Amino acid sequence: MKIAVYPGSFDPVTFGHIDIAERAAKIFDKLIIAVMVNPHKNPLFSIVQRTELIRASVSHIPNIEVDSFPGLLVHYLQRQGAQVIVKGLRAVSDFESELSMASINWKMYPAAETVFIPTNTQFSYISSSLVKEIARNGGSIRDFVPPHVEGAVMEAYRRQLNG
């Protein structure tokens, strides 16, 4: 069984993330979307909330699991018996940093390969950071995220404003 892991912060999950997951799920027997715990970031949503938002966003795809993990990605891959890391690429600038990470991951765990999937051009400009910036400033994010994610983002910012 070919198991792939699609890691990321997914804060929040966007249509671009979902597109990559749908396409990767067609290639691999099992795709694990793995929410990374990054102590250096200040996410809008907790790990549990991000995991739930993603799970609801990909519930239509039977061979996808959603999980989270702390620590190194390569250790998570080993625990899951995964052979592939899936990474989405929006632009050439993504490639430089992703290639560097792929090289380090391969050095630490040569049994796993990184597969780059270019994003669909209709989603190439979407990022979680941009979605949060738009929402924080009162703009509509409906074209960038599923309705349940839009509601959660808007509610999170309403709570922040109301203290």
Side-chain angles (χ1 to χ4, degrees), residues 125-137:
Y125 59 90
I126 299 172
S127 71
S128 295
S129 298
L130 186 56
V131 166
K132 288 187 288 192
E133 185 68 21
I134 293 166
R136 185 180 310 113
N137 289 290

Side-chain angles (χ1 to χ4, degrees), residues 62 64 87 109 163:
I64 290 184
K87 298 298 285 196
Y109 186 47

Side-chain angles (χ1 to χ4, degrees), residues 88-96 118-119 124:
L89 295 176
R90 290 175 301 192
V92 173
S93 57
D94 286 347
F95 183 73
E96 284 188 55
T119 192
S124 63

Side-chain angles (χ1 to χ4, degrees), residues 32-140:
I32 303 169
I33 300 176
V35 181
M36 299 169 65
V37 176
N38 186 340
H40 303 293
K41 287 192 174 183
N42 186 22
L44 181 61
F45 296 108
S46 71
I47 289 288
V48 171
Q49 290 169 314
R50 284 183 273 161
T51 301
E52 289 170 358
L53 290 170
I54 296 165
R55 195 170 282 124
S57 299
V58 298
S59 62
H60 62 285
I61 309 168
N63 64 326
I64 290 184
E65 290 180 15
V66 182
D67 196 10
S68 63
F69 70 97
L72 292 175
L73 175 59
V74 293
H75 293 158
Y76 181 78
L77 291 169
Q78 290 169 327
R79 288 192 303 270
Q80 297 301 317
Q83 305 88 359
V84 179
I85 301 165
V86 171
K87 298 298 285 196
L89 295 176
R90 290 175 301 192
V92 173
S93 57
D94 286 347
F95 183 73
E96 284 188 55
S97 62
E98 294 296 349
L99 182 60
S100 177
M101 283 191 277
S103 297
I104 292 292
N105 287 331
W106 184 81
K107 178 71 175 166
M108 291 189 294
Y109 186 47
E113 291 292 339
T114 299
V115 172
F116 298 110
I117 299 179
T119 192
N120 184 315
T121 55
Q122 81 183 81
F123 305 123
S124 63
Y125 59 90
I126 299 172
S127 71
S128 295
S129 298
L130 186 56
V131 166
K132 288 187 288 192
E133 185 68 21
I134 293 166
R136 185 180 310 113
N137 289 290
S140 173

